[in-house]
Amino acid sequence: TLELVTIKHMIQTLTLNEAIEAVPSIGSTRAAEKTSGTYQFVSTRNILEQVQDFGWRITGVSAQSRSPYAQHRVTLVHEKDLAAAQDVSNQNQDGILRIEMFNSHNLTKRFMMALGYFRFACSNGLLVATGPAEMIRTKHRFSDQRMEAIMAQIQSVSERFPRVLSTINDFKSRQLTEDEQHSFAEFAIKGRYLYRQALPKSFTNIDAMSNLILNPRRVEDEGDSVWQVYNRVQENIVRGIEGTTRPMRGYGDSVRVNQLLWKGAETTLQY
């Protein structure tokens, strides 16, 4: 697995060959034999070859295994945003938008994209992934226009970015009371475990766990705004709390919870 590297907000990009070397399924040329006759192979490599012509750069890749058909994830950032990330003197720039692309060739995950955000979390150059804010899905079915449709989705995705940025600004303006913060933390915990009646033993005292989930990991996340509370909860839920909860590993579960938290944060803007 190759993950993004940060040096004063500079993100290391990967060539397509480097991405394939790290994650073989990115370069796969066919689907697994168990797929059906109606399944259309969606080549991650072909998509990446084309999106790079539109200024998108690979900044991170990972996979569930080294299998040539395994679930995999590719993080894309536009070159104009990479340039903005290097301009640490820009006080109006506190993060950059990204696309997370998911795919598999063995029926475990259909092609999907998600919009997300990298926060400039502190002065040492740390970038923290936030989101995804919005999902874009497609089906693995035969169609002469399948690749054209996928490319159109990626090319038009930048049209959605202003809405995401506007929502983030609204999050920063809305202040939450202590009770609202605890309600959001409880919502996150219950959503993380699919609202099951019996939570894991570590969550028996949900009030105590809510306090842990609300603890900031850095000075920049201290405060009462929706944005600060959302980021604290999101990071503690997804990354886990040492000695208490484990980090989330599965792509599907992580995407589900991230989107649930985003929608929950949006709900606070209605009151």
Side-chain angles (χ1 to χ4, degrees):
T1 298
L2 284 182
E3 296 295 346
L4 61 91
V5 177
T6 61
I7 305 175
K8 290 187 178 179
H9 301 160
M10 295 179 64
I11 305 176
Q12 181 179 2
T13 59
L14 307 174
T15 66
L16 182 54
N17 286 338
E18 288 173 332
I20 293 172
E21 183 178 355
V23 176
S25 52
I26 290 176
S28 184
T29 57
R30 62 182 178 86
E33 293 182 359
K34 66 178 182 180
T35 54
S36 69
T38 60
Y39 178 94
Q40 183 184 19
F41 173 72
V42 177
S43 169
T44 303
R45 177 174 190 151
N46 287 351
I47 293 171
L48 293 176
E49 287 175 340
Q50 294 190 49
V51 299
Q52 290 183 97
D53 291 337
F54 294 94
W56 294 96
R57 300 292 175 256
I58 304 169
T59 62
V61 295
S62 63
Q64 297 291 301
S65 74
R66 295 285 296 176
S67 163
Y69 313 115
Q71 288 187 46
H72 50 277
R73 177 178 66 186
V74 180
T75 303
L76 300 171
V77 176
H78 200 274
E79 58 188 9
K80 65 178 177 59
D81 290 318
L82 291 173
Q86 297 175 25
D87 185 8
V88 294
S89 64
N90 184 358
Q91 298 300 314
N92 295 321
Q93 185 79 23
D94 63 0
I96 55 175
L97 290 153
R98 75 187 196 281
I99 294 177
E100 296 284 359
M101 192 170 76
F102 302 87
N103 199 13
S104 77
H105 310 306
N106 59 3
L107 298 176
T108 57
K109 179 166 287 296
R110 62 181 177 179
F111 179 81
M112 178 179 71
M113 292 179 290
L115 306 187
Y117 193 73
F118 280 129
R119 293 187 296 132
F120 301 160
C122 50
S123 58
N124 67 4
L126 177 67
L127 292 182
V128 177
T130 292
E134 187 171 345
M135 309 301 298
I136 307 166
R137 300 175 185 270
T138 190
K139 295 181 179 180
H140 285 270
R141 292 290 185 269
F142 280 119
S143 169
D144 293 337
Q145 291 79 39
R146 175 58 56 207
M147 183 60 72
E148 289 83 353
I150 291 173
M151 292 309 302
Q153 286 178 320
I154 295 176
Q155 291 176 45
S156 66
V157 80
S158 59
E159 298 174 5
R160 304 169 187 237
F161 283 176
R163 183 171 61 198
V164 174
L165 293 174
S166 176
T167 300
I168 289 173
N169 286 331
D170 291 339
F171 287 167
K172 292 176 180 178
S173 299
R174 168 76 158 90
Q175 301 296 304
L176 295 177
T177 65
E178 185 174 341
D179 285 344
E180 287 176 323
Q181 293 179 40
H182 277 270
S183 293
F184 185 73
E186 289 187 22
F187 162 79
I189 291 169
K190 292 175 180 178
R192 161 70 176 87
Y193 293 102
L194 296 169
Y195 302 97
R196 65 181 71 161
Q197 289 186 343
L199 293 172
K201 291 182 179 179
S202 58
F203 289 92
T204 302
N205 187 337
I206 197 167
D207 289 334
M209 280 306 303
S210 294
N211 287 330
L212 287 178
I213 294 296
L214 288 167
N215 280 339
R217 298 191 179 208
R218 58 189 64 85
V219 173
E220 289 80 1
D221 288 341
E222 295 177 358
D224 300 326
S225 73
V226 173
W227 184 235
Q228 290 165 318
V229 173
Y230 162 80
N231 281 306
R232 296 202 301 269
V233 170
Q234 188 256 2
E235 191 168 6
N236 286 326
I237 285 284
V238 174
R239 294 193 175 189
I241 301 173
E242 187 175 356
T244 305
T245 62
R246 297 178 180 179
M248 300 179 66
R249 302 294 186 188
Y251 293 155
D253 211 23
S254 179
V255 168
R256 176 187 65 81
V257 169
N258 270 305
Q259 191 175 27
L260 176 78
L261 295 179
W262 183 270
K263 296 299 183 184
E266 285 183 318
T267 300
T268 67
L269 301 178
Q270 300 174 13
Y271 301 96

